[in-house]
Amino acid sequence: MLFGAASVTKTFTTALIMRMVEEGYLSLDDSIGPRLPVWARLPNINPAITIRQLLDHTHGLGEYTATGAYISPMVFTPNRLLTRADLVAMIGPPISTPGAQYTYGNTGFLLLGVIIEKIYNLPAEEMIRRIVFRTCGLTTTFFSYYDSIPPNLVQAHGWSAATNPSTDTNLRSRRAMFSGYNVAGGSLSTAKDLAQWGRMLFGGHYITPASLATIQTITPQSLTGSLYPYGLGCISFTFDQRTAWGHFGNISGCVSVIAYEPTCDVSIALLFNDDRLPNLRPLIVERMYNMIKQVICPVPLGPGTKLTVLEKPSFAPNPAHDATLLRFTSPSGTRQVTLTLFDATGRLAGTQELDSAKGLHEIKLTGLTAGAYHAQLQLVGTNGTTSASSRLVVMP
């Protein structure tokens, strides 16, 4: 189902901007004054602000989504299509000088959309669709107020805490809301597409290594002005000795988060149809980290640890009922082999030591409830620790 991707949309816009930098259309240190069309050169917009400051939220501009002019159509004319010209006119007085402080918001990315449109002479949504969505195979990601959505794709019902009791946001038009968040937060997507996108972007498959390093350079001001360190259009999640990269999103009726952990090469997308969940962000992040650590890549990563990834262990039959055969090849020097099973929620379901000299093992499945499991194989030997995982389905 389609969910509001909300501010995860900022990663799409950031990626397009970095591709434009790579192709020479602009520089991150360009002042925005000459890059804006005449109609957007308004008194509240400092022309000395740079592209980089729009991306890292140090531009100092007022937040347009906090104004009465913005809130009014959400309440009274929810079917209205808000244009970028409408939204730029809502930008209020500056809150700080450019570069002085980090203040997260949507205004910077709204102006990035204006700049994209001026350079290409096409809507920013169209360019993101052509250069990001199509290039990366994101077939179920759209701007709902701009794209035609196939009738077979259903939008999840989102529950909003803005009313008491919470109400289904799909009962009235959300055109004004999604067009209002624009290329800062107005996209719809699926968990599959967003997980794929996290790996494409942060795994280095879409922008160059130099561009990736640039967006992953933490903005110093964000270390005191944000719960999570912020780069250019992305957030850093640090836990244990690992760092994941991604973004949070929140729009009426939906909460989203993507995270990519490079050591394990795993990308996770979590989508919720309830906008009260930002209060649970620490819990969401904890569960996300547990998925990475316990299910996908549980080998401790500390000083001196050498991690080598094996080929996936093979199970046959799979799905299985009461027993299956596990086949794997132990590298020379293997001293210990451990098989660990985790259920679909990441809870430990069982562990056993295997004979490292054997390549074929019968695994009893009695005592396991029906469902999908992650089977994690860890080998310890003279060459360090090796790890691999496969999916195992247990039938009733």
Side-chain angles (χ1 to χ4, degrees), residues 133-334:
F133 297 167
R134 288 180 181 173
T135 302
C136 296
L138 307 182
T139 59
T140 55
T141 304
F142 310 92
F143 287 98
S144 62
Y145 57 93
Y146 179 82
D147 294 307
S148 297
I149 299 176
N152 62 311
L153 287 175
V154 180
Q155 187 170 335
H157 288 252
W159 294 88
S160 176
T163 55
N164 189 16
S166 63
T167 54
D168 183 352
T169 58
N170 282 19
L171 295 179
R172 65 201 306 259
S173 175
R174 293 198 285 177
R175 192 181 190 206
M177 181 176 65
F178 278 94
S179 62
Y181 279 110
N182 218 260
V183 296
S187 66
L188 293 171
S189 191
T190 59
K192 177 181 179 295
D193 259 19
L194 290 184
Q196 178 176 324
W197 167 241
R199 187 172 187 272
M200 288 290 294
L201 177 59
F202 298 110
H205 304 287
Y206 182 71
I207 55 178
T208 66
S211 293
L212 182 59
T214 297
I215 69 171
Q216 292 178 333
T217 300
I218 297 302
T219 304
Q221 297 91 326
S222 73
L223 297 176
T224 56
S226 173
L227 181 61
Y228 300 100
Y230 204 93
L232 303 185
C234 64
I235 292 171
S236 167
F237 309 100
T238 302
F239 59 104
D240 292 346
Q241 297 179 47
R242 312 180 194 197
T243 298
W245 295 92
H247 213 290
F248 277 111
N250 178 220
I251 197 168
S252 180
C254 292
V255 167
S256 59
V257 60
I258 63 170
Y260 174 78
E261 203 285 320
T263 303
C264 303
D265 188 29
V266 60
S267 183
I268 295 175
L270 302 175
L271 299 174
F272 306 88
N273 62 331
D274 189 325
D275 63 17
R276 293 169 292 182
L277 288 166
N279 296 328
L280 299 177
R281 277 186 182 178
L283 177 61
I284 294 171
V285 171
E286 180 183 358
R287 290 304 297 253
M288 183 172 64
Y289 294 166
N290 286 340
M291 290 173 70
I292 294 172
K293 291 192 296 184
Q294 298 176 10
V295 180
I296 309 297
C297 189
V299 178
L301 302 180
T305 299
K306 181 179 179 181
L307 177 64
T308 305
V309 179
L310 292 173
E311 293 184 7
K312 291 181 178 295
S314 171
F315 291 94
N318 186 11
H321 290 277
D322 54 1
T324 185
L325 292 176
L326 166 64
R327 186 186 302 275
F328 66 91
T329 301
S330 297
S332 61
T334 299

